[in-house]
């Protein structure tokens, strides 16, 4: 198997409906598009880029619109799901390809699934990490979130008002990110759920203090924090502020399955997996092309960084089983 190194990575800016998308590319072969989650960047895939390249794929990790060196439109509604899907299509076209396998983590998993759902001619397979696929439709998201948490406020509701979460995070981006990453990682999770905010409080009140998860070095934290210190948090948070718009935009796809070959990897300790257990049980109907599903014992939320060797093996095994592009 050929060996690859960090030096083999290529950074590029390509045009998209957002203006530009920054991506990092490594390897040659069938295109695998990697989509990060909140609050991360292309760097969340640093362990997968060389592994996929060595396995014979053209691995491309993007900065989602609003993150890193990609464009950050000012309008809140510029971060709707349909806009992000079209960014992904633009990346595939800019790279001179006609199709791609799309793999996403956290919000990236939802973006990946929706890309496969509404642009199946471009995205021939979808890999989902940490967040299960739930078809569009059902009750209005804001109404669902408002009912969660009892006296506390669910984090997604907390993120809705522009400027509110920014005021908590931006005075100490590095410290906030360290606490957030620790709160959702298997080896540093607190006993009290970090997904809820006491009335009048902040999310940070329930984060662990003074401990980094094993997967996160000080240097890694510097990379993530450096980008958000430069860009601010608004572009990333605006994704949450469009969930009701997504519900309206995707109404024609209510209940629709993703039929292409698919993969799911979740962490047994991750709230995204446990809260959405019903969605995983529904995969025979919602992901009829599912070819592999794995729940990693002892796994937290940031699987491709917490468990990179295992994640890389599962991804490359799945990709090897797909039909050639």
């Amino acid at each position: 198997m050929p060996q690859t190194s960090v030096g083999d990575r290529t950074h590029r800016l390509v045009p998209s409906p957002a203006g530009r998308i920054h991506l990092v590319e490594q390897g040659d072969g069938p295109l695998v598009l990697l989509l990060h989650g909140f609050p991360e960047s292309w760097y969340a895939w640093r362990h997968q880029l060389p592994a996929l390249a060595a396995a014979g794929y053209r691995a491309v990790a993007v900065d989602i619109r609003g993150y890193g060196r990609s464009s950050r439109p000012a309008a809140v509604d510029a971060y709707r799901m349909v806009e992000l899907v079209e960014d992904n299509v633009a990346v595939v076209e800019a790279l001179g390809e006609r199709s791609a396998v799309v793999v996403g983590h956290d919000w990236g998993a939802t973006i990946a699934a929706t890309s496969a759902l509404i642009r199946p001619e471009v995205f021939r397979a979808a890999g989902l990490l940490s967040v299960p696929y739930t078809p569009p439709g059902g009750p209005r998201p804001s109404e669902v979130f408002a009912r969660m948490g009892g006296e506390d406020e669910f984090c997604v509701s907390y993120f809705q008002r522009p400027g509110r979460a920014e005021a908590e995070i931006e005075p100490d981006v590095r410290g906030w990110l360290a606490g957030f990453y620790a709160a959702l990682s298997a080896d540093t999770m607190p006993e009290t759920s970090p997904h809820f905010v006491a009335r009048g409080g902040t999310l940070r009140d329930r984060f662990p203090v003074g401990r980094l998860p094993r997967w996160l070095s000080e240097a890694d934290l510097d990379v993530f924090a450096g980008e958000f210190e430069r860009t601010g948090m608004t572009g990333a948070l605006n994704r949450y502020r469009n969930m009701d718009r997504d519900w309206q935009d995707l109404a024609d796809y209510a209940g629709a399955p993703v039929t292409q070959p698919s993969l799911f990897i979740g962490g047994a300790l991750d709230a995204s997996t446990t809260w959405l257990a019903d969605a995983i049980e529904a995969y025979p109907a919602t992901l009829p092309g599912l070819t592999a599903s794995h729940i990693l014992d002892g796994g937290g939320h940031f699987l491709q960084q917490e468990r990179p060797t295992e994640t890389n093996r599962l991804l490359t095994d799945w990709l090897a089983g797909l039909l050639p592009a």
Side-chain angles (χ1 to χ4, degrees):
M1 181 177 292
Q3 299 298 308
T4 62
S5 68
V6 171
D8 297 322
R9 295 177 185 163
T10 300
H11 290 255
R12 296 177 60 179
L13 296 174
V14 300
S16 82
R20 69 177 183 275
I21 293 293
H22 168 247
L23 59 85
V24 180
E25 178 179 5
Q26 191 164 0
D28 296 297
L31 176 60
V32 180
L33 189 64
L34 303 170
L35 310 178
H36 65 79
F38 175 88
E40 301 175 285
S41 70
W42 74 268
Y43 190 72
W45 300 103
R46 63 194 176 281
H47 302 297
Q48 285 67 52
L49 286 166
L52 294 177
Y57 299 97
R58 186 183 188 185
V60 173
V62 305
D63 281 334
I64 301 292
R65 173 188 301 218
Y67 287 81
R69 291 187 236 169
S70 292
S71 290
R72 300 186 302 280
V76 173
D77 65 1
Y79 297 84
R80 291 150 56 192
M81 184 64 71
V82 291
E83 301 275 0
L84 303 182
V85 171
E86 290 309 307
D87 284 345
N88 294 337
V89 173
V91 168
V92 174
E93 293 174 348
L95 293 174
E97 303 284 357
R98 299 180 61 183
S99 67
V101 174
V102 61
V103 177
H105 169 257
D106 183 75
W107 260 122
T110 305
I111 299 168
T114 309
S115 297
L117 177 67
I118 69 177
R119 295 301 301 268
E121 76 282 9
V122 177
F123 300 104
R124 63 189 184 93
L128 314 179
L129 275 62
S130 298
V131 175
Y133 175 61
T134 55
R140 183 182 293 271
S142 60
E143 296 173 356
V144 174
F145 301 139
R147 294 194 294 267
M148 297 176 64
E151 292 298 314
D152 292 341
E153 184 177 14
F154 187 46
C155 60
V156 177
S157 297
Y158 178 75
F159 289 156
Q160 292 305 303
R161 189 172 75 236
R164 184 186 184 192
E166 289 92 328
E168 173 187 342
I169 303 168
E170 290 180 355
D172 178 20
V173 169
R174 193 177 192 278
W176 193 92
L177 289 176
F180 185 89
Y181 296 147
L184 274 64
S185 296
D187 59 320
T188 45
M189 282 182 181
E191 293 185 6
T192 303
S193 173
H195 299 87
F196 295 93
V197 182
R199 299 294 172 179
T202 66
L203 269 175
R204 188 172 186 163
D205 294 339
R206 296 178 179 177
F207 290 171
V209 177
R211 291 190 299 157
L212 292 183
R214 284 189 295 269
W215 62 266
L216 183 68
S217 70
E218 296 284 351
D220 293 331
L221 181 58
D222 286 342
V223 173
F224 287 122
E227 289 292 77
F228 288 114
E229 287 167 349
R230 180 176 59 81
T231 65
M233 297 298 299
T234 297
L237 289 163
N238 278 346
R239 172 81 289 274
Y240 291 93
R241 296 164 182 160
N242 280 278
M243 298 181 75
D244 281 354
R245 292 186 182 93
D246 298 339
W247 180 75
Q248 294 173 321
D249 289 342
L250 299 172
D252 289 345
Y253 295 91
V258 170
T259 59
Q260 296 96 311
S262 57
L263 163 76
F264 177 71
I265 308 174
L269 302 180
D270 184 9
S272 298
T273 300
T274 57
W275 288 350
L276 294 172
D278 289 348
I280 296 172
E281 291 180 6
Y283 279 168
T286 62
L287 291 178
L290 185 73
T291 56
S293 181
H294 308 273
I295 304 295
L296 304 188
D297 288 341
H301 183 67
F302 299 100
L303 286 177
Q304 78 270 42
Q305 298 177 87
E306 289 186 49
R307 307 275 283 272
T309 301
E310 196 167 358
T311 299
N312 291 347
R313 178 180 59 79
L314 294 174
L315 279 174
T316 54
D317 286 352
W318 175 67
L319 288 166
L322 300 178
L323 293 174

